[in-house]
Amino acid sequence: INSLFSQDYKGQKLAEQIFQGIILVSAVIGFIYGYITEQFGWTVYIVMAGFALSCLLTLPPWPMYRRNPLKWLPVQESGTEEKKPADRKLKRHPKS
């Protein structure tokens, strides 16, 4: 069930690329439109709309971000007991 609510590493990379691309495109469009209309407010509105769109597309764990799940190692039942301090051998380094 954990994989339903998380992104894998490749999905995180894709989400980051989409986020940066939308922000960059909206900033360029906003700057050009704001320059043409001589209204800085339009630049801000367009960049904010791009930010909202990128958040909508990248923050939820959409299925396109979960295509490469991690392969976990199986649980080992035995052999994981801790050794007693007396059972451990101390490593000594030769003096030089």
Side-chain angles (χ1 to χ4, degrees):
I1 191 162
N2 220 3
S3 64
L4 293 176
F5 301 107
S6 63
Q7 298 176 349
D8 57 49
Y9 290 115
K10 290 183 181 180
Q12 289 176 3
K13 182 178 179 181
L14 176 62
E16 179 70 20
Q17 289 172 339
I18 291 171
F19 184 82
Q20 289 179 357
I22 291 173
I23 293 295
L24 179 66
V25 169
S26 68
V28 169
I29 291 171
F31 178 78
I32 292 171
Y33 188 76
Y35 184 79
I36 290 171
T37 61
E38 297 179 3
Q39 294 289 321
F40 182 71
W42 279 107
T43 302
V44 174
Y45 293 144
I46 292 171
V47 171
M48 287 174 46
F51 178 76
L53 176 65
S54 64
C55 286
L56 180 67
L57 291 177
T58 59
L59 289 179
W62 299 108
M64 65 182 172
Y65 302 131
R66 295 183 277 126
R67 290 183 181 162
N68 303 298
L70 293 175
K71 305 289 189 251
W72 294 95
L73 294 175
V75 176
Q76 295 179 355
E77 295 296 326
S78 62
T80 59
E81 300 171 0
E82 291 187 30
K83 293 182 177 181
K84 296 178 186 175
D87 294 341
R88 289 189 225 153
K89 293 183 179 178
L90 295 176
K91 293 183 180 178
R92 298 191 183 257
H93 298 286
K95 294 180 181 178
S96 43

